[in-house]
Amino acid sequence: MSYWSAVYFLMVTMSTVGYGDITCETSIGRVFQLMFLGVGLALFASVLPEILELIGAQSKWAGTYHGAKGKRHIVVCGHITYESVLHFLKDFLHEDREDVDVEVVFLHRSEPDLEFEGLLKRQHTRVKYFQGSLMNAMDLERAKVHDADACLVLANKYCPDPDAEDAANIMRVISMKNYCEESRIIIQLMQYHNKAYLLNIPSWDWKQGDDVICLAELKLGFIAQSCLAPGFSTMMANLFAMRSFITSPDMAAWQNDYLQGTGCEMYTETLSPSFSGMTFSQASELCFVKLKLLLLAIEVKPIDGGDTKISINPQSSKMPANTVGFFIAQSAEEVKRAWFFCKGCHDDVKDENQIKKCKCKNLAKFRTGVRAIQLVGRAMANSKTNCPQQNMVNSAMPIPIVKKNMMSKEENGAKNMMNGRVKVPNNTVDDTYGGYHLSYEVKKLMPTNKSTAQQKPSKLEVGIADDQAKDFDFAKTEMKYDSTGMFHWTPARSIEDCILDRNQAAMTVLNGHVVVCLFADPDSPLIGLRNLVMPLRASNFHYHELKHVVIVGAVDYIRREWKTLQNLPKISVLNGSPLSRADLRAVNVNLCDMCVILSAKVPSNDDPTLADKEAILASLNIKAMTFDDTIGVLNQSSNAPDAMSPLGSPIVLHRKGSVYGSNVPMITELVNDSNVQFLDQDDDDDPDTELYLTQPFACGTAFAVSVLDSLMSTTYFNQNALTLIRSLITGGATPELEIILAEGAGLRGGYSTPDTLSHRDRCRVGQISLSDGPLATFGEGRKYQDLFVASLRNYGMLCIGLYRLRDAALTTVDATSKRYVITNPPFDFGLLPTDQVYVLLPFERKQSRFSFSETEV
C-alpha cells in the first residue's frame, strides 16, 4: 500500500464512513485500527467543546463592511436603540427622497436585541450593523469610516446628564477626526454651550460639511418663533420631516387640510435661465402662479467672489443665472419644474404637470454648461481631499451642486445684501479670520498689522484700533445692538434688579408679553434660556416691538442662567411657582401673547413617562382658570410721552384679555410624545397616534424634541436647508456670534455702524389677520392665490401658510377657539375672515401708519 493510500484509509476510518474499498487483512492491522479509532474518537470528543466555544464566541456582528463599488454609505453611531434607529430610517429612507442609493452602517458597542435584529433583517439590503467602539481605530476601519460619505452621531435626548452625553459624543467626533480628518461629521448635541468644544478640534471644518444640530438651541428657537406666530413651530417641524399624507372623506375637513400641509417638504433646485434678471418677488410669483411651487429663498453670490449666502425673501435684487432656489413642495419631482421651465416653450402651458424638459437650444446649452461647471467643481473638490466628497444638496438634482456656504456668511457679508446692493470697502485691511468677517469686539483682540508710524494715537480712543474710529462718532453713538448687529443689546444688569415679587408684578402693566413657566430644581441641568429669548430680541424688530419676557420659576435656578441673559433687554423674573394661580394672575397670564411651559428637571429612571407631569399639570391648571372680563379693555396710544409702564414698555394693549384659561395662547414642551394625549381632554387622539397627527401638535400647542430627529437626514442630504432653518429660527445667529459666545462672557455691545445697522435688513416671521387691516378684503371668499400675489406685490410679504379656526362655523374672530396649521395651501384654497396668515415680513426701516407687526390677533 502506498503512503497516500494509507492516509486515505485512516481518514475514511476515523470519520466512521468506512467505504470498504481498503480493509485490514492481518490481525495486527485490525488491532491497530481499533486502537486508532478509540484514541481518535477520545481526542475528538475532548476538543469538541472548545471548538464549539470558539465558534459561538465569534459574533455575527463582528464582520467588516464591504460595499459595492461606487455605492455610497454613511456611518451612524452614538445612541443606537431600536426606537432611535426606527425613527431615523423612517425619515432617511422615505419614498419622497428620490434615488436614495446610500447604505446605512450602524456601529455600536452592544449587540442588537431581538426587536432591533428584526428591524435590521427587514432592511438588510440597505442597512448593516457592526459591533464595535468608535474609540477603536480597528473598528473604524471595519466600518470603512474613511470611505463613508458622512458620519452621523445621534444623542440620547432623554439622558439624565446632558453635559456628559455631549462630552461622550464629542469624544467620538475627536476619535473619527483623528482617524480620518476629511470625514464629514454631523453630530447632535444637547446643550448649546458645548458647541464651543467642537471649535477646538483642528480638523473640524464647517465648509467641509461638518455640522452640529444643537437640540436645545433649535427646540427653544422653534418655541420662540411660536411666541411671534402661534403654530409656526408645527409648520417648520413638518417642513423638514419626510411624511406622506392620505386624505379621506371620513376625516374632518380640518384634518385633511392639515395632512395635506404635512406632505410638504423643503427642496433645492437650480432655477432655469428664464428666471435670470427677475427680482425675487417676480420669480416667487411666477413659481407660485405658473409652477405651483413656493419659492422661499435663494442663494446669493457676492460680487467680490466670496462664499454664497442664503437670502430669505430678499427685496429688489436681480437674480443672476444659475441661481439655486429653496422651495416648499410635495415632492422632488414637482421642484424640477423650476429647472425645466422655459419662457418660450411653456409660457402658454396651463397645466403645471406638462412643464417638462423642452428641446429649446438655448436652454439645452445652458443646462450643458451648468452640468459641466458642476462636474468641474466636484472634480476640483475631490482632488483636494483623500476622502470622497459628499452630496449636500437634495437628490432631486441628477448631479448635485456641492454648496459649502455657512450661516455666518448669510448676513455678515456685504452691506445691505438683502437689497442686493454690495458695498465694496475702500481699504484693503483684512478683517477676516478663518474666512469669517470679524466684528469690532473680536478684532480688537487681534494684533494689528499696521506699523507704529501709520497710527495716530492723538485721534483715537483708548483701546480702540484706528480702523474702527473712522466711520462713526463714539460720543454720539449709543450701544443698542450687539457687536454683530444681529440682536438688541443692553448693558449687563444684575438679576436682583429684574426680580419682581407678586405685589410688584400685580402693579405692573403687562400686556402682549411672553410668560415662561419654568420648572427646575436648583441643581437641574441648564436648558439655555438664552436660546428662547434671543430670537425675540433680533435686531430686525424695532425696540418697541420687542415682547416683554416674564420668567416664573425658582430664582436659584434662573440665577445660574442669568449670565447668558443679562445683556438682553425687557426681561423680568418672578420668584414663584408656575402652579400657583396667584403668581399667574400677578403676571397677567390671560393678557400674554404666549405662555411657554418648560421643564429642566431630570426624568426619573423609575418611570420616564412621568417626566412631563409638571408641564401637564401647569397646562391643565391654566386652562381651568377664569379671569375678570374687565381686564384688558384699557387702551392707550404709544405716542403719548407718559405711556410707559414701570418696566419701561409702552402701554399698548393689542387684544382683550381672555376670560377663560383655555383661551390663553399656550405651548407646552414635552419629553415623551405619548404624553400629548393628556394635554387636551377634548380631543379623541389614540394613545398610539404619532405626535404630528395629534390635535395639540396640529394646533401648535405642543412641541417635543423628538420632531428634531429628522434634521439629521435633512442636513445630510441638504446642508443649506439647515442653514435656512437656523436663519428663520434663531433670529440670525452666526458663526461670528458663536465665536464670541464661546468665550463665555455673553453678548458684547457694539456701536451702530452702517455695516452693523445693515444687518437689520432681513426678513422675519409674522402672522397677519384677515379680519382687519389692508388684507381684510381677501378674507371675504377670495382665493389664496389672490392673497399671495397681492401681499408680494404691495407689501413684499411672502405668504407661507394659514392658521385657521378648527370650527369653520365661527365667523368672528374668537381667540378662544382652537386653530390648526395649513402649510402652503393650494392656489385655489378658499379664505375666511377669521384666517391668520403666516408671512415672511421684510424689515421696515420706518414704521408706517399701519404696521403689520401690531395687527390684532
Side-chain angles (χ1 to χ4, degrees), residues 135-157:
M135 309 305 292
N136 188 332
M138 297 296 295
D139 292 335
L140 296 177
E141 173 69 26
R142 289 169 45 219
K144 297 293 186 290
V145 170
H146 56 283
D147 291 330
D149 208 28
C151 300
L152 280 60
V153 184
L154 305 180
N156 181 7
K157 300 181 293 296

Side-chain angles (χ1 to χ4, degrees), residues 186-233:
I186 304 171
I187 178 176
Q188 279 184 342
L189 289 182
M190 298 294 296
Q191 302 283 39
Y192 179 81
H193 57 263
N194 291 326
K195 292 175 69 173
Y197 300 119
L198 292 172
L199 301 177
N200 300 330
I201 303 176
S203 54
W204 181 268
D205 188 2
W206 303 89
K207 296 184 178 181
Q208 185 71 23
D210 297 335
D211 220 327
V212 54
I213 298 172
C214 180
L215 298 178
E217 175 191 23
L218 294 173
K219 174 188 68 177
L220 294 178
F222 274 85
I223 294 175
Q225 295 301 327
S226 284
C227 296
L228 302 171
F232 187 76
S233 59

